[in-house]
Amino acid sequence: MSAAAIGERLASIYRAIAEGAMRGMPICNRDLEVQAVGFRDHAGHAIGVVVTPWFMNIVLAEVEGGPALPPARFGDSRAVSLPAGRIEVTVGELDGIGRLDAASLFSPMFGFADPAATHQTATAAMAALFKPDGYDVPPPARDRRALLFGRGSSAP
């Protein structure tokens, strides 16, 4: 199964949850819909953003025939290296998928007016994660005394 197919499978599972257990729950933004955005292959795993009326998460899942996700217990946090840097994901499991590691972007979702806004945000998140040089972050502050005395920086 391709990364895009895994994204669609996740969307199908979360649509069923939205129409079942989450229907009418006060945490849900009724103006939103379930979406799978930007799913792609990364290091042999599927990565993308799942949008629901109650959360927006970056998710990682195993791809059939690909490498297994690193061993971890349910609920553990682990670091994932991406072109823009490292993110922390929480190890989980979803019926119909199996192991699913996730990092929350937004929850609850009341700050979004419509599905177009969530899709745009999810697309921007994926683009930022795969930007090779990371975010535009200023360099660390330098210690003037260290520079003056030839030590180069304030790094310990």
Side-chain angles (χ1 to χ4, degrees):
M1 188 179 296
S2 71
I6 289 170
E8 285 309 311
R9 177 77 181 127
L10 283 164
S12 175
I13 291 167
Y14 280 108
R15 281 186 196 104
I17 294 169
E19 293 166 6
M22 294 302 289
R23 172 173 249 139
M25 297 296 281
I27 194 169
C28 291
N29 179 340
R30 295 176 192 207
D31 295 328
L32 303 182
E33 60 190 32
V34 174
Q35 302 172 55
V37 181
F39 273 80
R40 61 187 288 177
D41 180 77
H42 176 68
H45 304 119
I47 185 170
V49 177
V50 172
V51 176
T52 72
W54 63 96
F55 72 73
M56 183 185 301
N57 288 353
I58 300 162
V59 298
L60 258 80
E62 294 177 352
V63 175
E64 190 175 316
L69 289 165
R73 292 186 313 247
F74 178 79
D76 282 353
S77 291
R78 70 178 191 89
V80 175
S81 293
L82 297 168
R86 296 168 69 94
I87 63 169
E88 290 289 319
V89 296
T90 301
V91 175
E93 191 171 316
L94 181 65
D95 286 344
I97 292 290
R99 168 94 177 259
L100 188 68
D101 296 357
S104 178
L105 292 173
F106 298 96
S107 183
M109 299 289 287
F110 296 112
F112 295 95
D114 55 45
T118 57
H119 191 275
Q120 182 180 12
T121 301
T123 299
M126 284 298 290
L129 290 172
F130 284 90
K131 183 179 175 189
D133 58 349
Y135 297 101
D136 297 325
V137 177
R142 296 204 169 215
D143 179 359
R144 288 182 275 168
R145 286 191 188 113
L147 287 172
L148 230 151
F149 294 108
R151 294 190 301 253
S153 76
S154 61

